[in-house]
Amino acid sequence: GAGVSQTPSNKVTEKGKYVELRCDPISGHTALYWYRQSLGQGPEFLIYFQGTGAADDSGLPNDRFFAVRPEGSVSTLKIQRTERGDSAVYLCASSSQGVGDYTFGSGTRLTVV
Amino acid sequence: AQSVTQPDIHITVSEGASLELRCNYSYGATPYLFWYVQSPGQGLQLLLKYFSGDTLVQGIKGFEAEFKRSQSSFNLRKPSVHWSDAAEYFCAVGPGGATNKLIFGTGTLLAVQP
């Protein structure tokens, strides 16, 4: 596609439920990133994929968070046993090369009630 | 640890006036520096970046930024602001290395008065 697509754009879930957030990167981009943006804050790094493998998952806050990219294209961020503190905008970005040369998606706004 | 500080949470300027948004960073070596803009409901868009070389960097939409090593700053400027520039602006530093992840500041929200 022309840009990075994230679905859903909005997700409301109950505390304790499981959610999946999807990112469809630009075709051919090998690098894929997930960031989380809380209200009034800048984006915070979660995880980086190079191809199918997670090259850096140091930003995942705890073991309730997990992400996959099985075929080196689409990625899914999975959150188990959601908590109200998980409410944020989850941003995905992809890149073909270079530091910081990302294309960001519009994000998924997750609200845990 | 690497960090980015944007001292101004909110700035209001008149249309046609000049703009400067401040950014200070903390990093042990010469960092990669970026400015992104985020409009409501939109993804982050890269305005410009500095890796090395000329310390004055030109970007899109008429923006420029100057890297000043002695002040650990990378301020964003525009000579004449347009109403469409109203958005949130984020400075970021890229430590580089194997992951290319960025560390973002908390952002500056720009309002433009007619």
Side-chain angles (χ1 to χ4, degrees), chain B residues 45-61:
Chain B
Q45 182 183 22
L46 179 66
L47 285 175
L48 48 78
K49 59 187 178 184
Y50 172 78
F51 286 178
S52 64
D54 192 347
T55 56
L56 185 62
V57 180
Q58 301 298 321
I60 62 171
K61 304 185 179 186

Side-chain angles (χ1 to χ4, degrees), chain A residues 98-102, chain B residues 2-4 23 25-36 46 48-53 57 67 69 74 91-104:
Chain A
V99 180
D101 227 339
Y102 305 158
Chain B
Q2 301 93 359
S3 66
V4 177
C23 172
Y25 66 89
S26 173
Y27 185 65
T30 300
Y32 301 148
L33 294 160
F34 307 83
W35 276 99
Y36 282 84
L46 179 66
L48 48 78
K49 59 187 178 184
Y50 172 78
F51 286 178
S52 64
V57 180
F67 170 59
R69 185 191 303 275
F74 188 58
C91 181
V93 61
T99 69
N100 297 335
K101 64 186 178 186
L102 298 185
I103 298 168
F104 286 84

Side-chain angles (χ1 to χ4, degrees), chain A residues 1-2 8 14 28 32 41 43 57 62-63 65 90 92 107:
Chain A
E14 293 181 346
L32 185 145
Q41 301 296 315
D57 64 358
N62 52 60
D63 61 7
F65 288 74
Y90 289 81
C92 177

Side-chain angles (χ1 to χ4, degrees), chain B residues 7-22 78 80-83 85-89 107-114:
Chain B
D8 304 305
I9 296 173
H10 186 260
I11 283 182
T12 300
V13 299
S14 298
E15 190 167 16
S18 63
L19 171 70
E20 183 169 29
L21 302 182
R22 295 184 291 165
K78 186 169 185 178
S80 177
V81 170
H82 187 262
W83 63 266
D85 293 324
E88 189 149 28
Y89 292 80
T108 297
L109 185 61
L110 174 66
V112 180
Q113 287 182 333

Side-chain angles (χ1 to χ4, degrees), chain A residues 60-110:
Chain A
L60 294 178
N62 52 60
D63 61 7
R64 295 186 299 104
F65 288 74
F66 190 71
V68 296
R69 195 185 185 200
E71 298 178 357
S73 177
V74 171
S75 176
T76 305
L77 179 66
K78 308 180 181 193
I79 310 174
Q80 298 177 321
R81 304 183 304 279
T82 52
E83 300 176 357
R84 292 195 178 88
D86 298 334
S87 297
V89 176
Y90 289 81
L91 296 168
C92 177
S94 70
S95 171
S96 62
Q97 61 178 350
V99 180
D101 227 339
Y102 305 158
T103 300
F104 277 91
S106 298
T108 293
R109 181 176 299 279
L110 175 66

